[in-house]
Amino acid sequence: MPLADSDGTSLYYERHGSGPAILFVHGSGGHHAAWWQQVAALRDEFTVVTLDLRGFGQSDSTMAEFDGQDFPGDVVAVLDQEDLTDVMLVGQSIGSVAALRAGLLRPERVSCVVLGHSLGGISHPELKELAAADRAEAVRLPVIDRLLTRTFQRERPDLTFLFQQMGTFNAARMQDLRNLDTDGPSLEEIEASGVRVAFLAGEKDAVLSVETVTRAHELLAGSHLEIVPGAPHSMYWETPQAYNEAVARLRRTLTAQKEAA
């Protein structure tokens, strides 16, 4: 069982396939196994790495409390353990915040970061205001309706049930991650790092609107924007083919940009 050490905390991770590296960082209800549809689809072309942040899945969950500020270091520990370079980090929701900060901590290992359904905790007054307005609308919905469309819930009750069960393997909860989204990097810090950023958004995301993500893209010079039609907040689960195609396209595109630079 592969393990990495993050300042004394044991982290579980997996590595599959070969080729340019993609490391997935799960959100508040996930863990390494949440990416089952991505690993199977992408490992023939890419090295696919998944991990459990502390308090999630099979990683150490024995601490009395969890601090979201430790999560970027967990990602870095896996990068260092596997001696990965030219990696594309792909975050899901609040996992994108950990991914972006990890990328800024290890720009020599990370070439690009994909912020899935997230602004990555970027510190900017306009973006904070827009994201807060989106959250105010989202909290009016039942949690499951924020994450999956009602059509999918009706047509695929089996996968909806499995989706809801994923979080039962975790000790950490959403409130343990919230403080991660504080004192985030500025647009200038991201631009100066040399790490490329792509925003990956779903057209039907009920948590973060396409308009807000588009504005973030406009403000962050050199960023890339990918909007998937008809996709919800958890598109990696509900619309895996479109999600996988977008991730693969970003990996190829951003790598090509680096080689041409």
Side-chain angles (χ1 to χ4, degrees):
M1 184 171 73
L3 297 173
D5 180 86
S6 179
D7 292 329
T9 297
S10 179
L11 303 172
Y12 178 84
Y13 71 94
E14 294 184 359
R15 178 173 179 165
H16 303 270
S18 61
I22 302 172
L23 189 154
F24 289 98
V25 185
H26 62 77
S28 60
H31 45 73
H32 75 278
W35 305 108
W36 59 284
Q37 298 178 99
Q38 284 63 60
V39 172
L42 299 172
R43 62 187 173 188
D44 288 343
E45 181 179 354
F46 305 103
T47 296
V48 181
V49 181
T50 60
L51 83 158
D52 293 336
L53 298 169
R54 64 184 64 205
F56 292 82
Q58 298 188 63
S59 288
D60 187 0
S61 302
T62 59
M63 55 282 293
E65 59 183 8
F66 304 97
D67 187 348
Q69 296 289 336
D70 293 326
F71 294 143
D74 293 348
V75 179
V76 167
V78 174
L79 291 172
D80 290 346
Q81 174 75 17
E82 287 295 305
D83 193 22
L84 295 169
T85 57
D86 188 28
V87 180
M88 182 171 83
L89 299 181
V90 181
Q92 168 61 22
S93 194
I94 203 164
S96 295
V97 183
L100 179 57
R101 293 195 179 193
L104 298 181
L105 287 170
R106 286 290 190 278
E108 71 278 11
R109 294 195 180 279
V110 177
S111 60
C112 47
V113 178
V114 177
L115 305 179
H117 308 276
S118 172
L119 302 184
I122 296 172
S123 181
H124 187 277
E126 181 183 351
L127 294 180
K128 287 184 177 294
E129 183 176 337
L130 290 172
D134 287 346
R135 282 194 297 271
E137 289 296 317
V139 296
R140 299 180 181 181
L141 299 172
V143 173
I144 191 63
D145 289 347
R146 303 174 205 171
L147 307 178
L148 301 172
T149 65
R150 290 184 177 179
T151 299
F152 181 81
Q153 294 175 54
R154 182 177 64 254
E155 295 179 351
R156 293 306 309 265
D158 52 346
L159 287 181
T160 299
F161 176 76
L162 180 58
F163 179 84
Q164 293 173 303
Q165 290 299 301
M166 297 295 281
T168 65
F169 294 91
N170 304 326
R173 294 292 181 262
M174 182 63 185
Q175 58 267 29
D176 300 310
L177 282 75
R178 288 194 184 280
N179 73 322
L180 178 57
D181 198 11
T182 58
D183 300 322
S186 66
L187 295 171
E188 294 74 20
E189 288 171 332
I190 298 170
E191 293 168 15
S193 72
V195 174
R196 290 185 172 85
V197 171
F199 295 94
L200 178 57
E203 181 189 23
K204 293 186 177 180
D205 190 339
V207 177
L208 189 68
S209 69
V210 167
E211 291 77 14
T212 295
V213 177
T214 300
R215 182 56 181 152
H217 162 61
E218 293 170 349
L219 290 170
L220 182 56
S223 66
H224 187 95
L225 176 63
E226 186 91 16
I227 299 174
V228 178
H233 187 74
S234 297
M235 77 163 94
Y236 72 98
W237 189 274
E238 180 170 332
T239 57
Q241 181 175 349
Y243 178 86
N244 297 340
E245 290 173 353
V247 169
R249 187 164 52 247
L250 287 169
R251 174 72 256 203
R252 301 185 197 109
T253 301
L254 297 176
T255 299
Q257 288 178 356
K258 181 176 180 180
E259 291 173 348

